[in-house]
Amino acid sequence: MTSTLPPTTAPSTKKHGLYRTTALIAGGLYLLTFASSIPAVPLLDPVLNNANYIISSGADNRVLFACLLDFTNALAAIGTAVALFPVVKRQNESLALGFVTTRLFEAAVIVIGIVSLLSIVTLRQPGATGAEADSLVVAGQSLVAVRDWTMLLGPGFMAAMNALMIGTLMYKSGLVPRIIPTVGLIGAPLLLASSIATLFGVFGQFSPVAMILVAPIFFWELSLGVWLVVKGFKPAPIIEHA
């Protein structure tokens, strides 16, 4: 005697396999944002902390590689939103679209900062002297200032906004353990407050206080990425009844 599987078994298996792939891609992209952005910080030290870099012998290859890493970070950030959108829109399409939009804005601002640093590499003249050297130094400092502001507006303000949106979606949907988005929902207003305080000069962008306030967002995104890669989505109504 032969038996046949219920007609819904194959489609159901296929559906869950698709969601597992989506979770793997989204989680991998979250982890890629860390793998690309963190190494870029020390690599950019010569251009960010040497006012005379634009007229020095320079370390252009190091800076260029760091810019490439930051560009990878920007693309990966967009990728996280694109990968998650088809899933989380089932919970709330407006919030899901807001997450994609703020993620795009964050990436675009990061790219503006990258362009400003690439401009310093292009303008660098190690043999410049006198008035020419003075004007180049001013230009270099101005471009570094642009990059510093992009870090506040992009990974600062916009990261807080998209954490509020995707954190809310993840919490309400139950796609991941609720402790993970809870950390994000706590960290988002802290990061927003830190960004506003930095904007008005209460403390520096990379001061110890600022680093403490940004820590919850760091751990929220890291834990989300790890969970999605290792475990995938938890069974939830928005995917079980899709």
Side-chain angles (χ1 to χ4, degrees):
M1 182 176 68
T2 60
S3 61
T4 59
L5 292 172
T8 57
T9 300
S12 177
T13 301
K14 182 178 180 180
K15 179 179 69 174
H16 283 284
L18 177 62
Y19 283 124
R20 183 67 188 97
T21 301
T22 299
L24 186 61
I25 292 172
L29 289 170
Y30 264 109
L31 296 180
L32 181 57
T33 64
F34 286 92
S36 56
S37 62
I38 293 175
V41 175
L43 289 174
L44 288 173
D45 183 73
V47 67
L48 295 180
N49 297 308
N50 179 7
N52 294 321
Y53 179 87
I54 200 167
I55 57 172
S56 70
S57 57
D60 288 352
N61 288 337
R62 175 175 171 174
V63 173
L64 291 173
F65 182 60
C67 287
L68 179 60
L69 289 174
D70 273 343
F71 187 62
T72 301
N73 173 38
L75 293 180
I78 296 172
T80 61
V82 173
L84 289 175
F85 178 76
V87 179
V88 295
K89 74 174 183 178
R90 299 178 184 278
Q91 181 65 40
N92 186 307
E93 188 166 0
S94 295
L95 276 179
L97 185 59
F99 171 55
V100 173
T101 303
T102 56
R103 210 59 162 149
L104 284 168
F105 190 97
E106 178 185 355
V109 173
I110 290 173
V111 171
I112 293 172
I114 294 170
V115 171
S116 70
L117 296 183
L118 292 176
S119 299
I120 294 176
V121 172
T122 301
L123 295 172
R124 191 176 61 80
Q125 295 184 34
T129 58
E132 181 185 20
D134 292 340
S135 64
L136 283 171
V137 168
V138 171
Q141 292 175 328
S142 300
L143 290 167
V144 168
V146 170
R147 194 268 182 180
D148 289 343
W149 281 112
T150 62
M151 293 301 292
L152 180 65
L153 297 176
F157 280 103
M158 285 301 103
M161 297 304 295
N162 64 55
L164 283 173
M165 295 180 188
I166 191 63
T168 300
L169 290 166
M170 287 294 178
Y171 185 90
K172 289 185 174 181
S173 65
L175 289 170
V176 298
R178 285 195 165 94
I179 185 60
I180 295 177
T182 296
V183 174
L185 292 173
I186 292 172
L190 292 177
L191 177 57
L192 190 60
S194 174
S195 298
I196 293 172
T198 302
L199 178 67
F200 289 100
V202 178
F203 47 71
Q205 189 172 356
F206 301 104
S207 67
V209 176
M211 293 297 98
I212 291 172
L213 292 176
V214 78
I217 288 294
F218 177 92
F219 288 111
W220 136 250
E221 292 195 351
L222 180 61
S223 60
L224 178 61
V226 171
W227 181 273
L228 291 177
V229 168
V230 176
K231 295 289 188 179
F233 296 123
K234 292 180 62 181
I238 67 169
I239 57 177
E240 291 296 322
H241 304 300

